[in-house]
Amino acid sequence: MTKRNKKHAKLRSRPSFLHWRFVILVFGIVMVFVGLASRAAYIQVVEPDLLIERGDNRIVRTKNVKVHRGMILDRHGDELAVSVPVKAIYADPKTIHENGGFSDTRRWKALAEVLGRSYEEITKRLQNPKRRFIYIERQVSPAMAKYVAELKLPGVYLRDESRRYYPAGEVSAHVIGFTDVDDKGIEGIERMYDDTLTGTPGSRKIRKDAKGRQVEIIQQTAAREPKNIQLTIDQRIQTLAYNELKKAVHYHQATSGSAVVVDIHSGEILAMANSPSYNPNNRSTVKPHRTRNRAITDAYEPGSAAKPLAVLSALEFGSYEKTDVIDTSPGYAAVGGGRVKDPRNYGELDLKGIVRKSSNVGTARLVESVPEEHFINTYYNMGLVGSSGINLIGESEGLFRDGRRWSEFELATLSFGYGIAVTPVQLARMYSILGNGGINRPLSIIKQDLGDEGERVIDEVNATAVLDMLESVVLDGGTAPKARVPGYRVAGKTGTSRKAVAGGYGTDYVNTFAGVAPVSNPQVAVVVLINEPAGDLYHAGDTAAPLFSSIMAGTLQLLNVAPDDKPVSLLAERRQKLLPKGE
């Protein structure tokens, strides 16, 4: 080989396996796999919850099983409060702004118009694009909701909810109460039994596939169904009592009034009405003082309506018999440094005469004959001190100065209903005890099995004797002949008391009448109260007594109570005369 050929000959050598470019490539591939493995280990071992949550957000859904609020029923099963389905209108401001905001002015103005609001008011609330949920309107009717859905506004949606409806309206408003916009009870029975009426919603967690189909139930919680509440109220009697009370309050230009009707033998409240009332289905203009259940919250001095307790106390202690006579001359008496007087000099009166004439001097003399402790205990035993038993929220236990010694004059004034304040419900309990022959049974407003037989607090003979005395009040010569009920024997007592003000008593009156019927077999006790009558009539015999008569008459007829004002033999004889001959 020549030198020229040797000079240009190439050196043949085998390439190295560990060339630097190959090393870099392999290293890069290895690092990628190491990174992937590390990330996979971190996601699956160290902190897997984040991706699980994100995955579940796409395929797992929780559906709430809604339960409607339980119903409130009267004693016959008539509905007093029911829940009706309605819709809520809400908005997602972020979605609204992502879809052109309020560019379609015409449809937004249509929404504002149907809701009774201004366009500016609605759009101003939805200006913040960072917010995701804002209520526009709650509890709208299905027709309004359908109209809103047809507007097809981006970011405006509907959701199901319920609204409370009260078929009886203002008639039973103070007893039933009402709920707020979130269906939570805030007054009356609705508040007292909110947990029972509400129940607990159920839920179901499910897994869906990419097409939205349910493929698995992950977790399920059963709903606790709400319970219905049945009251002792008889809606027929409730309506009667409210209508008569409303007319009386208006006629006498009174500030307010209350009426309570009680079943004597069970202690169940058949009616509890107040005036003025309110419409629980539309509370937009209702003032707070109208929502107060005055029959259980407002306490007044009962006046002469409490005088039977002085007679009872004397009979129970044995210091007087029902035929004994007391000299009330000359129509006034000095007692413990004070002076007690009657409207006029009644002279000598037996115990029935003291009740019939409503003699302050007579009751003061009766109280003087018994120990203080015995007389005070009579007020406790007859239900004028403490809870009535119905246990409604806001119930007052009245005002009674306990725990200290009473002066002679204070005991005398207590004998004719001053120095103590009671609610109409407490007074109704007192008269139901009288009508029940001296058995004290707590009042109730929730229908339940009668397990409480009551406690005897006064002798049945004395209770019957006092009823006989109270019957004379509505007869000729008594203070309340306007309380008579045609066809029935009635026993009751008026109460005309002046309202206390700072430093003494003012010029406003509280008129009450409390009584039972029929006297031969008492079934019902009724208490009515007229607060601050402003007309020419301000005595209970002219204001409360006629109201009592109309409510008691209607109640006895609705309950099919047989008349008792005539002897059975006389009724049979009269019926025989009316029958055709030969029958």
Side-chain angles (χ1 to χ4, degrees):
M1 183 178 296
T2 64
K3 292 180 178 181
R4 184 180 180 85
N5 292 335
K6 286 182 180 179
K7 184 179 180 178
H8 295 285
K10 294 182 178 179
L11 180 63
R12 288 190 175 190
S13 61
R14 188 175 181 181
S16 174
F17 180 78
L18 296 176
H19 195 274
W20 65 272
R21 285 178 295 186
F22 182 76
V23 172
I24 293 174
L25 178 63
V26 172
F27 179 77
I29 293 172
V30 171
M31 292 304 296
V32 168
F33 277 100
V34 170
L36 291 173
S38 300
R39 180 61 178 168
Y42 177 80
I43 291 173
Q44 295 187 27
V45 178
V46 179
E47 195 171 333
D49 296 336
L50 179 62
L51 286 184
I52 292 175
E53 181 182 353
R54 290 178 177 176
D56 288 345
N57 287 341
R58 293 178 173 85
I59 62 175
V60 175
R61 296 288 183 270
T62 299
K63 292 186 175 181
N64 292 324
V65 181
K66 294 198 67 174
V67 292
H68 288 294
R69 194 174 177 86
M71 294 187 294
I72 300 177
L73 312 170
D74 84 335
R75 67 187 300 111
H76 301 298
D78 292 336
E79 297 170 351
L80 301 178
V82 296
S83 292
V84 295
V86 291
K87 298 284 187 180
I89 306 171
Y90 70 97
D92 181 349
K94 182 178 179 181
T95 302
I96 292 174
H97 287 276
E98 288 176 351
N99 288 272
F102 306 101
S103 57
D104 193 343
T105 307
R106 183 179 60 85
R107 286 194 290 171
W108 280 102
K109 286 185 176 179
L111 174 65
E113 182 179 359
V114 74
L115 296 180
R117 299 187 180 183
S118 66
Y119 167 76
E120 292 76 14
E121 178 188 355
I122 290 181
T123 55
K124 183 179 180 180
R125 294 182 60 199
L126 306 177
Q127 289 298 327
N128 187 354
K130 295 182 179 180
R131 299 191 66 177
R132 300 306 306 268
F133 184 93
I134 294 178
Y135 274 118
I136 297 178
E137 189 71 43
R138 302 287 302 274
Q139 297 185 345
V140 301
S141 65
M144 184 182 294
K146 182 179 179 182
Y147 178 83
V148 172
E150 291 175 351
L151 290 175
K152 297 181 179 179
L153 288 166
V156 177
Y157 309 102
L158 300 171
R159 66 185 300 178
D160 294 330
E161 59 181 12
S162 62
R163 179 181 182 182
R164 209 63 165 161
Y165 175 67
Y166 304 95
E170 63 181 21
V171 172
S172 303
H174 292 105
V175 175
I176 306 303
F178 53 86
T179 61
D180 61 12
V181 71
D182 293 314
D183 228 15
K184 181 176 178 61
I186 55 178
E187 285 289 347
I189 296 294
E190 291 279 29
R191 180 180 175 184
M192 185 73 183
Y193 295 93
D194 185 61
D195 291 341
T196 303
L197 291 166
T198 301
T200 303
S203 64
R204 186 174 60 174
K205 184 182 287 187
I206 62 173
R207 193 183 304 278
K208 293 184 177 182
D209 60 15
K211 295 183 178 180
R213 295 172 298 191
Q214 178 179 323
V215 296
E216 180 186 2
I217 298 178
I218 302 173
Q219 185 179 5
Q220 189 168 358
T221 303
R224 180 175 66 84
E225 291 296 325
K227 295 182 180 179
N228 296 334
I229 297 291
Q230 187 169 24
L231 306 183
T232 62
I233 296 294
D234 187 324
Q235 190 55 28
R236 303 170 304 166
I237 301 175
Q238 177 75 18
T239 303
L240 164 73
Y242 175 73
N243 289 337
E244 295 296 333
L245 177 66
K246 185 177 180 180
K247 287 190 294 185
V249 169
H250 176 74
Y251 179 78
H252 296 292
Q253 305 170 45
T255 302
S256 62
S258 299
V260 180
V261 182
V262 176
D263 183 313
I264 284 175
H265 299 291
S266 65
E268 295 178 339
I269 294 179
L270 303 178
M272 182 188 293
N274 298 278
S275 180
S277 187
Y278 65 97
N279 183 2
N281 298 308
N282 180 17
R283 302 187 302 275
S284 57
T285 60
V286 174
K287 297 181 180 179
H289 75 274
R290 284 180 171 263
T291 63
R292 188 169 74 246
N293 187 351
R294 298 172 183 271
I296 64 171
T297 62
D298 293 10
Y300 306 94
E301 289 179 309
S304 298
K307 284 180 178 175
L309 296 188
V311 178
L312 264 177
S313 182
L315 290 175
E316 287 284 297
F317 186 71
S319 56
Y320 279 91
E321 300 292 336
K322 64 180 180 178
T323 57
D324 290 343
V325 174
I326 294 177
D327 188 3
T328 64
S329 299
Y332 58 87
V335 180
R339 187 174 183 178
V340 176
K341 62 180 181 178
D342 289 331
R344 63 184 180 86
N345 182 8
Y346 294 123
E348 292 186 348
L349 295 172
D350 59 7
L351 268 58
K352 179 183 288 188
I354 290 174
V355 174
R356 184 176 67 252
K357 296 297 183 182
S358 195
S359 171
N360 295 337
V361 176
T363 56
R365 295 299 187 204
L366 290 173
V367 171
E368 288 178 339
S369 68
V370 300
E372 174 188 328
E373 183 179 358
H374 177 79
F375 180 53
I376 297 300
N377 284 341
T378 304
Y379 279 76
Y380 281 92
N381 293 336
M382 296 300 289
L384 288 191
V385 182
S387 172
S388 66
I390 58 176
N391 297 323
L392 287 179
I393 293 175
E395 181 183 1
S396 169
E397 294 187 358
L399 297 174
F400 191 69
R401 298 176 301 180
D402 196 10
R404 70 175 184 83
R405 187 171 181 83
W406 294 68
S407 70
E408 291 183 9
F409 181 70
E410 287 174 333
L411 290 173
T413 57
L414 184 62
S415 73
F416 46 84
Y418 284 86
I420 182 175
V422 301
T423 64
V425 165
Q426 288 177 306
L427 198 57
R429 186 180 184 186
M430 167 190 159
Y431 277 79
S432 68
I433 294 171
L434 277 175
N436 201 21
I439 296 177
N440 184 352
R441 179 177 285 112
L443 303 185
S444 62
I445 201 167
I446 302 299
K447 191 67 177 174
Q448 53 194 344
D449 294 334
L450 297 176
D452 186 358
E453 296 182 356
E455 175 189 5
R456 176 165 296 283
V457 293
I458 58 174
D459 187 87
E460 185 175 5
V461 174
N462 293 331
T464 303
V466 171
L467 279 185
D468 178 64
M469 298 175 194
L470 290 172
E471 185 178 9
S472 68
V473 172
V474 304
L475 302 178
D476 293 337
T479 59
K482 294 180 180 179
R484 293 176 181 171
V485 176
Y488 297 90
R489 294 172 58 197
V490 174
K493 189 72 185 74
T494 54
T496 304
S497 59
R498 296 172 68 177
K499 298 189 72 173
V501 296
Y505 288 89
T507 58
D508 292 325
Y509 288 85
V510 176
N511 297 162
T512 57
F513 191 94
V516 301
V519 173
S520 61
N521 183 20
Q523 300 292 319
V524 178
V526 174
V527 172
V528 297
L529 180 147
I530 302 294
N531 181 30
E532 298 181 4
D536 296 332
L537 304 176
Y538 60 90
H539 286 103
D542 296 317
T543 60
L547 174 60
F548 167 88
S549 175
S550 58
I551 293 177
M552 179 63 85
T555 299
L556 294 173
Q557 292 172 11
L558 288 170
L559 296 178
N560 292 321
V561 177
D564 70 334
D565 69 333
K566 302 295 182 185
V568 176
S569 58
L570 182 59
L571 290 175
E573 181 181 345
R574 182 176 298 175
R575 179 177 179 275
Q576 189 66 32
K577 290 180 180 179
L578 293 175
L579 291 175
K581 292 182 178 180
E583 290 190 17

